[in-house]
Structure formats: structure tokens, C-alpha cells
């Protein structure tokens, strides 16, 4: 349903993200998380080195601007915001699968950009306020996830 609503707004990146990334990554993520956790225990949290953070930042910026050009070519709306939310979602999903705590910073950014996207649609009178509420709830969840994941990492470091 979300993909259909995004399609109506010509947020083509959001459409492709939900069909081409989120669906298959559910199964891949399930496999990796089970591989790196014990039954009844928390997943082992990883934190990136500064070198990896810079590498992922450069990949993100390059991918956002490349994807924005594609979405513009396709005739999409709000293509920079759409590209940003889509690319950062894919990267955040990859980092989540790899159990990196930094994923939460990206989810926070994705939710803020998605709120901006749907405010734009509301201003055009062509969207439902429930999508804005949904992304706002996701933002609150991401802030909690950021806090909780880094707290869990500290606790795991103290035990190790």
C-alpha cells in the first residue's frame, strides 16, 4: 500500500526501495542476525571505525546524487529528497544486517527526509496526514534505537 501511495506521488525511489530492497533484505537480515546471536540473548553490536564511517559517507553522497539524476530523468517529484531517503534506507539496511550501531543515525536521517517528502505532498493536497504521522513515529523509534543500540554496545564492551 505504501508503495502504491508513493507511486501516486511520483516518489519512484520509495517505490523501488520497498519492492527491490526491503522485501529481499528481510530474509537476508534474518539469516545474519540469527548467525550472530544466541537464543535469548541480544545481538552482538558492532561500531564502525572512523575510516569506515568516512567511506560510507562518501558512498552515500555519491549514490544520492547519482540516484537523484535517475529519478529526475524518470520525471519524479522532490527527487533530491526521494533519492536521499531511498539511498540512505538501502545503506541503513545494509548496516543493520551487519549489526552496526551507526545504522540508527541513517534511520534518523531517513525519517526526517521522509517527513519532508510527505509534508511536500500534503502541501500539494495530494497525500494523507497518516503518512506524516507514520514517519514521525518512525523517527521517535529511531531516536530510541540509536540510544539503546549504543547503550547495548557499551554494556557488551564492559563484559568483554
Amino acid at each position: 500500500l505504501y508503495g502504491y501511495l508513493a507511486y501516486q506521488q511520483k516518489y519512484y525511489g520509495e517505490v523501488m526501495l520497498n519492492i527491490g530492497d526491503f522485501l529481499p533484505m528481510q530474509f537476508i537480515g534474518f539469516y545474519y542476525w540469527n548467525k550472530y546471536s544466541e537464543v535469548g540473548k541480544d545481538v552482538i553490536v558492532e561500531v564502525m571505525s572512523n575510516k569506515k564511517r568516512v567511506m560510507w559517507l562518501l558512498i552515500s553522497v555519491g549514490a544520492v546524487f547519482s540516484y537523484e539524476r535517475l529519478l529526475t530523468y524518470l520525471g519524479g517529484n522532490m527527487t533530491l529528497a526521494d533519492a536521499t531517503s531511498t539511498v540512505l534506507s538501502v545503506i541503513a539496511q545494509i548496516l543493520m544486517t551487519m549489526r552496526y550501531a551507526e545504522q540508527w543515525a541513517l534511520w534518523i536521517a531517513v525519517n526526517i527526509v521522509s517527513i519532508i517528502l510527505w509534508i511536500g505532498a500534503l502541501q500539494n493536497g495530494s497525500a494523507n496526514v497518516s503518512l506524516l504521522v507514520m514517519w514521525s513515529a518512525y523517527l521517535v523509534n529511531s531516536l530510541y534505537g540509536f540510544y539503546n543500540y549504543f547503550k547495548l554496545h557499551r554494556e557488551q564492551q564492559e563484559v568483554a
Side-chain angles (χ1 to χ4, degrees), residues 133-151:
V133 171
M134 177 186 81
W135 284 107
S136 298
Y138 287 171
L139 177 59
V140 171
N141 182 64
S142 296
L143 291 167
Y144 175 73
F146 184 87
Y147 166 78
N148 197 43
Y149 225 66
F150 278 98
K151 179 182 169 196

Side-chain angles (χ1 to χ4, degrees), residues 44-101:
I44 300 166
V45 176
E46 299 288 336
V47 173
M48 288 184 189
S49 66
N50 287 334
K51 184 178 178 180
K52 280 190 180 180
R53 287 178 181 154
V54 170
M55 177 194 75
W56 281 106
L57 175 66
L58 294 175
I59 289 169
S60 298
V61 170
V64 164
F65 286 109
S66 297
Y67 199 53
E68 190 272 338
R69 293 181 59 94
L70 173 65
L71 296 177
T72 299
Y73 174 77
L74 293 174
N77 289 331
M78 295 183 69
T79 55
L80 183 58
D82 192 10
T84 300
S85 69
T86 302
V87 167
L88 293 184
S89 291
V90 170
I91 293 172
Q93 188 79 32
I94 292 167
L95 297 182
M96 180 189 309
T97 301
M98 299 167 70
R99 303 170 337 277
Y100 281 119

